[in-house]
Amino acid sequence: MKQSIKRILRAYVWRNPTVGYIQGMNFLVFRLRAVLSEEDTFWTFAMIIETYMPPDYYVSMYGAITQAEILSRIFKQYNMLPDVQKVFEV
């Protein structure tokens, strides 16, 4: 099953290099693969990513950037983890 998931994700990166691979896609593919064939998993996965997700969700990483900024502000406000704060400032 592991090789099947890897093949599906590699095929998707080849199909849509703009989106590429984003961490967490493997969880969705794993769940789909548990109930669908390898080919059906690929096409269902492609449909979900390309139809239901907004185009800039994966490309601009807006959600991840926003969450990192919120976390950084919390660290600064409460003077927590100065070494981690430095990483966010880079």
Side-chain angles (χ1 to χ4, degrees):
M1 174 100 104
K2 183 179 177 181
Q3 292 301 318
S4 175
I5 292 169
K6 191 183 243 186
R7 280 192 301 270
I8 293 165
L9 291 169
R10 283 186 176 169
Y12 188 75
V13 169
W14 186 82
R15 172 186 167 82
N16 192 344
T18 302
V19 172
Y21 173 78
I22 304 296
Q23 187 174 6
M25 286 180 165
N26 57 328
F27 293 111
L28 179 56
V29 172
F30 176 78
R31 297 286 184 190
L32 292 170
R33 186 64 183 98
V35 295
L36 299 172
S37 69
E38 189 170 344
E39 183 175 358
D40 288 343
T41 297
F42 172 80
W43 290 113
T44 302
F45 176 72
M47 184 214 36
I48 290 169
I49 299 299
E50 296 169 8
T51 305
Y52 294 106
M53 304 306 283
D56 62 345
Y57 183 81
Y58 291 106
V59 177
S60 68
M61 299 290 290
Y62 177 75
I65 292 168
T66 301
Q67 291 175 357
E69 179 62 29
I70 291 169
L71 187 59
S72 176
R73 289 181 185 191
I74 290 170
F75 287 161
K76 286 179 185 175
Q77 181 178 350
Y78 294 103
N79 199 26
M80 296 169 45
L81 305 169
D83 292 337
V84 176
Q85 286 181 40
K86 290 176 189 175
V87 173
F88 278 104
E89 290 171 1
V90 172

